[in-house]
Amino acid sequence: MPRLLVVHHTPSPAMQALLEAVREGAALVDEVELTVRPALSAGAADLLAADGVLLGTPANIGYMSGALKHFFDTVYYPCLDATVGLPYGVYVHGNDDTAGALAAIERITKGLRWKQVAAPLGLTGAPDAAAREACRELAATVAISL
Ligand SMILES: Cc1cc2nc3c(=O)[nH]c(=O)nc-3n(C[C@H](O)[C@H](O)[C@H](O)COP(=O)(O)O)c2cc1C
């Protein structure tokens, strides 16, 4: 069964609501095994065992969280050759601006030569029903692509 890895930084109730929606969306796809790892504890072994990855982070000071950056710093060279073409998706939540974080993530995933299989999701403000639904759809889209 294909394995979907969610690598997330979830430091607040808003981020937790989005992560729960991601879990629900992935669960809509029967034939996918879900692994969820906080970005500060995820490593190369998690990534190498996955067939696709969904990244989730708050926007912090115009960039991705240090936690998700730490994940990339950890896996970049160990996984550079082995994860070419890896399907991925991403969600970023911020108070008012997610563009810098999304651009930085895109730059790194381009370097890794991963394949974006769902539109990047930038969300701002308190996560309402539409935001949670967008996360469900994102997770289901990445899961189906596997
Ligand atoms: C140190 C720090 C820097 C932040 N920088 C940004 C930022 O540049 N842009 C933005 O939209 N939100 C920023 N935020 C807000 C976070 O993205 C937000 O707290 C996070 O998405 C969780 O949402 P919540 O606080 O509503 O639960 C920042 C938060 C912190 C703690």
Side-chain angles (χ1 to χ4, degrees), residues 92-107:
V92 175
H93 179 269
N95 282 344
D96 52 22
D97 181 24
T98 59
L102 285 168
I105 291 165
E106 193 175 329
R107 204 156 43 244

Side-chain angles (χ1 to χ4, degrees), residues 11-15 57-63 93-98 124-127:
S12 79
M15 296 302 301
T57 180
N60 283 353
I61 320 177
Y63 200 75
H93 179 269
N95 282 344
D96 52 22
D97 181 24
T98 59
T124 53

Side-chain angles (χ1 to χ4, degrees), residues 47 53-56 63-64 68-69 71-73 75-76 79-80 83-91 101-118 120:
L47 194 58
V53 63
L54 180 51
L55 308 162
Y63 200 75
M64 75 186 85
L68 187 61
K69 179 61 163 47
F71 169 73
F72 280 125
D73 290 352
V75 302
Y76 192 90
C79 297
L80 186 57
T83 59
V84 172
L86 188 74
Y88 85 97
V90 56
Y91 65 95
L102 285 168
I105 291 165
E106 193 175 329
R107 204 156 43 244
I108 295 173
T109 54
K110 269 204 177 116
L112 287 161
R113 289 180 287 163
W114 292 359
K115 184 172 91 184
Q116 193 162 43
V117 292

Side-chain angles (χ1 to χ4, degrees), residues 21 126-136:
D128 58 9
R132 295 194 304 274
E133 181 54 27
C135 278
R136 265 182 226 110

Side-chain angles (χ1 to χ4, degrees), residues 29-63:
V29 183
D30 285 337
E31 298 300 310
V32 166
E33 188 182 312
L34 182 66
T35 304
V36 179
R37 290 269 183 271
L40 287 174
S41 72
D46 298 301
L47 194 58
L48 293 170
D51 299 294
V53 63
L54 180 51
L55 308 162
T57 180
N60 283 353
I61 320 177
Y63 200 75

